[in-house]
Amino acid sequence: MRTLDEVRARCEIEEITGCWVWTGARSSDIPRIYAPDLYATEQRLNAALAVAFKSPRPRAKIIAALVQAMDPVMEAQTGRRATWQMAQGKGVKDGLIVYNTCRNEQCVNPSHARCGTGTEWGRFTAKTGKHKGQLARILANRRIALARTTVKPEHVQEILLSPETGLAVGARLGYSRTIVSKYRAGHPVAHRPVGSLFVGLML
C-alpha cells in the first residue's frame, strides 16, 4: 500500500474515537502493513548519489540509476509506522519509534501516532497511565509460572552439578526430565521464590 486512502479503505473507522482499526494482517496482534519505508529509501538514494558522483558511466545511465533509487523501498512494518511516514512524507530515523497516543493498539490513524525516542515514549506512558495495571499482569504471570513448576531454589545447584542423568536427578528430586534439561541448558525456568510473589519488584 502506498497511500493513506488505500490504508483507510482496509480499516473500520470508529466514529467516536476516530481510530482506524486495521482489518488486514497482524503480528502478535499488532497491525502489519506492506508500505514504503521512506528512511530506507533515503538511505538508498544517498548511497546511489555517492556512487553517481564518482561513476564514469554515461550521464543517461547515471540518471536512470538515480531515478530507480528514488522508487520507495517497500517493507512490511507496523501499521502506525507505515501511516506516520505516509502522512509526514519522511522516514523514521534509527533510534526513533512510532507509538500510538490512543489506547487502541490496532489503530493506524496517523493523527493518533507520534514519533520520538524511547525516553519520550516512556514519559508519555507514565503521564497517561497507558500501562496502568501492569503490576497486576506481572503477578498473574508469576502465579501461572509457579503453578507449572515447584522447583525450589536450593535444588538448582544440585540439578546443575549432579553427575546423574536428567531423568535420574529429576526422579530423585521430584521434577520432570524436561525441567532438569532446561536448567542444564541454561534456559530460564520459573522457580518458587523465597518470600511472596512481590519479590524482585520495584514498587
Side-chain angles (χ1 to χ4, degrees), residues 105-166:
E105 291 297 326
Q106 283 72 51
C107 176
V108 296
N109 185 340
S111 66
H112 291 185
R114 187 179 298 171
C115 182
T117 63
T119 299
E120 290 171 333
W121 176 76
R123 289 173 183 160
F124 170 79
T125 57
K127 181 179 179 180
T128 60
K130 185 176 181 180
H131 294 301
K132 185 177 181 181
Q134 187 173 27
L135 175 59
R137 290 195 297 273
I138 292 173
L139 293 178
N141 288 337
R142 285 192 174 188
R143 290 190 190 96
I144 293 172
L146 292 177
R148 291 175 177 167
T149 177
T150 57
V151 176
K152 298 178 181 178
E154 58 267 27
H155 287 164
V156 173
Q157 187 173 5
E158 189 170 355
I159 288 174
L160 294 176
L161 300 179
S162 174
E164 299 173 276
T165 64

Side-chain angles (χ1 to χ4, degrees), residues 4-25:
L4 287 175
D5 287 338
E6 289 179 308
V7 174
R8 199 174 191 277
R10 291 286 304 277
C11 297
E12 294 178 355
I13 311 302
E14 295 186 348
E15 297 296 333
I16 296 177
T17 63
C19 288
W20 299 5
V21 181
W22 177 246
T23 60

Side-chain angles (χ1 to χ4, degrees), residues 6-54:
E6 289 179 308
V7 174
R8 199 174 191 277
R10 291 286 304 277
C11 297
E12 294 178 355
I13 311 302
E14 295 186 348
E15 297 296 333
I16 296 177
T17 63
C19 288
W20 299 5
V21 181
W22 177 246
T23 60
R26 299 184 185 185
S27 176
S28 299
D29 208 31
I30 300 297
R32 300 287 293 179
I33 299 177
Y34 187 70
D37 186 327
L38 299 185
Y39 182 65
T41 304
E42 179 185 347
Q43 295 294 94
R44 185 179 65 181
L45 180 57
N46 288 339
L49 285 169
V51 171
F53 282 123
K54 301 176 182 178

Side-chain angles (χ1 to χ4, degrees), residues 57-86:
R57 294 188 301 174
R59 180 182 176 86
K61 290 186 177 181
I62 294 175
I63 293 176
L66 292 177
V67 170
Q68 184 178 10
M70 292 174 65
D71 193 45
V73 174
M74 300 293 289
E75 289 187 351
Q77 52 197 299
T78 60
R80 53 181 172 262
R81 186 177 189 273
T83 56
W84 186 89
Q85 290 186 96
M86 291 178 184

